[in-house]
Amino acid sequence: MEGKAPIMRRSALAAIAAIGSASLLIAGCSKADDNKNENGTKSAGANAATKGVVNASDKKGGTVTYELSDVPDSLDPGNTYYAYMYNISRLWARPLMTFKPGPGEEGNTLVPDLAASKGVPSDGGKTWTYKLRSGLKFDDGTPITSKDVKYAVERSNFARDVLSLGPNYFQQFLADGDKYKGPYKDKSDKGLSSIQTPDDTTIVFHLKQAFQEFDYLVAAPQTAPVPKAKDTGVDYIKHIVSSGSYKFQSYEEGQQAVLVRNGNWDAKTDPLRKQLPDKIVIKLKVNPETIDKDVLAGNAIDLGGTGVQAATQAQVITDPSKKSNTDNTYGGRLVFLAINTTVAPFDKVECRKAVQYAVDKVSVQTAEGGPIRGEIASTVLPPDIPGYEKADAYATAGNKGDLAKAKEQLKACGKTSISTNISARSDRPQEIDAATAIIASLKKVGINVTLKQFPSGKYFTDYAGVPKFTKKQNLGLHMMQWGADWPSGYGFLQQILNGKAISQSGNTNLSQYDNKDVNALLSKAIGTQDNAARNSLYTQIDKKTMDDAVLVPLTYFKVLLARPTGYTNLVSTAAFSGEYDYLNIGVASK
């Protein structure tokens, strides 16, 4: 689920040296947990938000501030694909289903949101019916109907030339989805025939095949209602109509968005949201070090949820009072190197295997921030995603690479050297440092790589996610971090491995991997009712992908979040990659 000019980088090694050994890992509460916060209150302790809600409160008032180092792909709920946007967009956009605010794995629990209950399947899982809650209204006071949900799905999935940033699951799985041209080209009132709205509170989805995890799919913000009469395509971001507890007071592109209470939101129609702060401010393009400073002062939340910077990490885990206000968690994420199978010579499996053996994963782990930021990975699926099975197809001594085997594979590929480029996001220092470590590893075997930096906000729309661009620019390698769209093997694998998910812009299958066997296994898995059988298929997909060497698993990502003491209801949730659940954060008493 994931601009500005490149910034100067400094090595993370000095910071890591300060961090020291794995004994400093935050594994639970310690004596440091008894420290007091700067405001004099007792700290809940390290990792407290992974076990429960920290500073639970129903206190209303004040302003909650979020800060982001770049710009989001989009604030439009139908045109976004970063986990943090799925998370925060629920403040102004209610999908049919969502995830229960709760710690860790509890946060993976699906609950109805705009819908009154979970979907009712029929026809073996090929038809799904949802009833909306009664009394729902947009922020302008007009009623929300099932037609608004239908339209939201149509615009977000079937107008890829206009809105290309989100996933296209509905386009892939709805019956006759390949024939519908989308609402901007098809001006008829009928729209897509496989989504029916027999009345204002009922919506029925007809699929081309059984989809046993469909409730997860409708938890995406793409099902948040959009009034057709007020949709302005890509410009909808400037005047989003809210269905959530907050609405937009202002939006300054590339600078900030300000949200205030939606007066037409009714708590009786919404058992999830508390509508606590008076105002919510989202600041964009904030320097990462400034974000850390503001978070440690208790005055901001790191919206991106990628954790503190390397220098701050060293500071917080060696200072007991600061360490006690941190949360270290997985969140179903993998950091990996995507090998572009369409850029020569990586269209040959032997050249891809040369990369697999050449990478020193320990140096990458160190560049990212050490073990506290992730365990060394060897599979596509992280350990906390169903279908994971321990394996290592390209094991090397101490995970430091095997130069002899790498050169052997290079020779089998008919090469003695390779020149290529690697992409990474310019506003993510640890990603840049990890890419730099990979470049050093590959150079030892004759694979010469040049780093190309691109802004996060356009990484998928203009650069790494545009196949024509990657081929023209000889981008054979891509830095990537991926979290599950929902907590299952399918939710993790589909958008990065299925050939049908490859798109000409906004593409997240950066390897451009299109293997008929993997495609077929994914299709079979999602139609399989039995959980154990379904998970076994995910394990097979993982193994096949690693055999084809299309990506190098680097680390099972762990995030180290600094917990701002100025806010209430902080809970780290697996549903949104270990980020704090943004639904009900409030302002603490001063």
Side-chain angles (χ1 to χ4, degrees):
M1 276 195 220
E2 280 161 51
K4 57 185 176 184
I7 59 177
M8 294 298 292
R9 305 292 171 191
R10 63 179 180 277
S11 172
L13 297 180
I16 301 309
I19 293 169
S21 69
S23 64
L24 287 173
L25 293 184
I26 299 176
C29 297
S30 67
K31 289 182 179 178
D33 302 342
D34 293 329
N35 284 279
K36 301 216 175 215
N37 298 321
E38 291 181 5
N39 60 10
T41 61
K42 186 177 179 181
S43 167
N47 287 328
T50 69
K51 304 166 186 173
V53 179
V54 174
N55 203 6
S57 173
D58 288 332
K59 177 183 175 292
K60 290 182 178 287
T63 298
V64 171
T65 300
Y66 294 88
E67 295 180 346
L68 186 67
S69 62
D70 192 45
V71 294
D73 48 3
S74 178
L75 298 178
D76 182 341
N79 198 33
T80 184
Y81 207 2
Y82 276 101
Y84 66 84
M85 285 308 305
Y86 271 44
N87 188 352
I88 198 166
S89 67
R90 295 175 302 152
L91 291 170
W92 61 85
R94 294 179 64 180
L96 286 173
M97 301 283 293
T98 192
F99 294 93
K100 176 183 177 182
E105 290 298 307
E106 186 181 333
N108 281 334
T109 305
L110 273 174
V111 291
D113 193 346
L114 204 66
S117 62
K118 290 185 176 182
V120 178
S122 55
D123 193 19
K126 290 176 67 176
T127 300
W128 288 78
T129 302
Y130 295 85
K131 294 287 290 186
L132 302 188
R133 300 179 189 273
S134 60
L136 300 167
K137 293 180 180 179
F138 285 113
D139 65 42
D140 62 2
T142 58
I144 294 172
T145 73
S146 56
K147 291 180 176 61
D148 300 314
V149 178
K150 171 182 164 75
Y151 181 75
V153 173
E154 292 171 341
R155 71 185 289 271
S156 62
N157 275 253
F158 297 91
R160 304 297 289 182
D161 56 331
V162 180
L163 307 175
S164 64
L165 300 181
N168 61 345
Y169 288 112
F170 289 101
Q171 184 187 48
Q172 292 176 50
F173 288 100
L174 284 167
D176 297 326
D178 55 338
K179 299 174 185 177
Y180 180 55
K181 296 180 180 179
Y184 304 130
K185 292 180 179 177
D186 179 359
K187 301 296 183 179
S188 69
D189 291 333
K190 182 180 179 182
L192 181 62
S193 60
S194 52
I195 304 179
Q196 296 177 347
T197 53
D199 57 56
D200 284 348
T201 61
T202 306
I203 185 166
V204 185
F205 298 91
H206 296 278
L207 314 180
K208 62 177 72 172
Q209 67 180 82
F211 196 118
Q212 301 299 340
E213 298 177 4
F214 197 73
D215 269 341
Y216 283 117
L217 181 51
V218 300
Q222 292 180 332
T223 65
V226 174
K228 184 176 182 179
K230 296 191 176 182
D231 180 24
T232 51
V234 72
D235 287 332
Y236 183 65
I237 189 175
K238 299 175 183 177
H239 303 285
I240 294 173
V241 185
S242 173
S243 55
S245 51
Y246 286 84
K247 65 180 181 178
F248 285 89
Q249 181 183 68
S250 63
Y251 169 65
E252 300 170 72
E253 187 172 2
Q255 297 183 55
Q256 74 171 20
V258 177
L259 302 166
V260 293
R261 286 195 178 99
N262 174 7
N264 279 300
W265 171 81
D266 187 348
K268 294 177 182 177
T269 72
D270 191 344
L272 301 174
R273 292 163 183 79
K274 294 183 177 182
Q275 201 186 50
L276 298 180
D278 295 325
K279 186 181 294 185
I280 296 169
V281 178
I282 303 171
K283 295 182 179 180
L284 308 175
K285 291 192 175 182
V286 182
N287 182 281
E289 285 76 17
T290 301
I291 294 176
D292 284 356
K293 185 178 179 180
D294 292 343
V295 171
L296 290 176
N299 300 324
I301 296 168
D302 172 18
L303 175 58
T306 53
V308 298
Q309 304 305 306
T312 307
Q313 177 179 318
Q315 176 188 348
V316 299
I317 67 174
T318 54
D319 182 332
S321 65
K322 291 183 173 65
K323 176 184 172 183
S324 65
N325 287 311
T326 58
D327 295 292
N328 192 209
T329 184
Y330 283 107
R333 283 197 251 183
L334 177 74
V335 176
F336 65 93
L337 178 68
I339 305 177
N340 194 329
T341 60
T342 68
V343 173
F346 298 123
D347 51 345
K348 297 180 180 179
V349 68
E350 294 84 3
C351 279
R352 300 197 296 268
K353 288 183 177 180
V355 175
Q356 295 276 1
Y357 282 116
V359 173
D360 177 349
K361 294 184 180 180
V362 174
S363 70
V364 174
Q365 182 190 48
T366 301
E368 290 174 354
I372 202 169
R373 296 306 296 264
E375 295 179 2
I376 289 175
S378 58
T379 57
V380 184
L381 289 168
D384 51 346
I385 296 294
Y388 165 81
E389 189 173 284
K390 188 175 182 179
D392 193 347
Y394 306 98
T396 65
N399 293 305
K400 293 185 177 181
D402 189 321
L403 303 187
K405 284 186 178 180
K407 290 178 179 178
E408 183 182 301
Q409 289 295 330
L410 206 58
K411 184 178 179 181
C413 187
K415 297 285 182 181
T416 55
S417 66
I418 295 172
S419 293
T420 191
N421 295 318
I422 183 173
S423 69
R425 283 165 278 201
S426 59
D427 61 308
R428 296 192 175 190
Q430 287 157 335
E431 186 166 283
I432 297 296
D433 289 338
T436 303
I438 289 170
I439 291 170
S441 292
L442 297 182
K443 187 175 182 179
K444 295 176 182 178
V445 300
I447 302 175
N448 301 301
V449 185
T450 301
L451 176 62
K452 302 291 184 181
Q453 300 183 38
F454 306 109
S456 288
K458 295 185 181 298
Y459 193 64
F460 299 106
T461 55
D462 292 9
Y463 306 110
V466 181
K468 287 183 179 179
F469 179 84
T470 61
K471 199 157 192 175
K472 185 177 180 181
Q473 298 295 321
N474 191 32
L475 284 165
L477 305 171
H478 303 283
M479 292 301 296
M480 183 66 164
Q481 183 188 126
W482 187 252
D485 284 357
W486 60 83
S488 82
Y490 193 90
F492 191 91
L493 300 168
Q494 159 71 10
Q495 292 296 112
I496 60 171
L497 294 182
N498 197 333
K500 293 179 181 178
I502 299 171
S503 58
Q504 296 312 301
S505 176
N507 175 47
T508 51
N509 181 347
L510 298 188
S511 300
Q512 295 181 55
Y513 185 47
D514 190 4
N515 181 283
K516 63 179 182 180
D517 294 332
V518 167
N519 296 347
L521 284 169
L522 282 165
S523 181
K524 181 179 179 181
I526 202 59
T528 302
Q529 278 189 306
D530 183 75
N531 282 338
R534 191 159 69 241
N535 291 339
S536 176
L537 292 170
Y538 298 143
T539 306
Q540 291 180 46
I541 294 166
D542 193 326
K543 184 178 185 303
K544 172 63 178 170
T545 302
M546 291 309 303
D547 287 345
D548 284 347
V550 297
L551 61 84
V552 182
L554 298 171
T555 58
Y556 302 124
F557 182 83
K558 293 184 75 176
V559 63
L560 179 65
L561 296 174
R563 190 190 318 133
T565 58
Y567 295 132
T568 62
N569 303 318
L570 293 166
V571 57
S572 171
T573 173
F576 299 106
S577 302
E579 300 164 4
Y580 296 124
D581 190 309
Y582 299 150
L583 203 60
N584 289 314
I585 293 176
V587 179
S589 299
K590 296 296 184 182

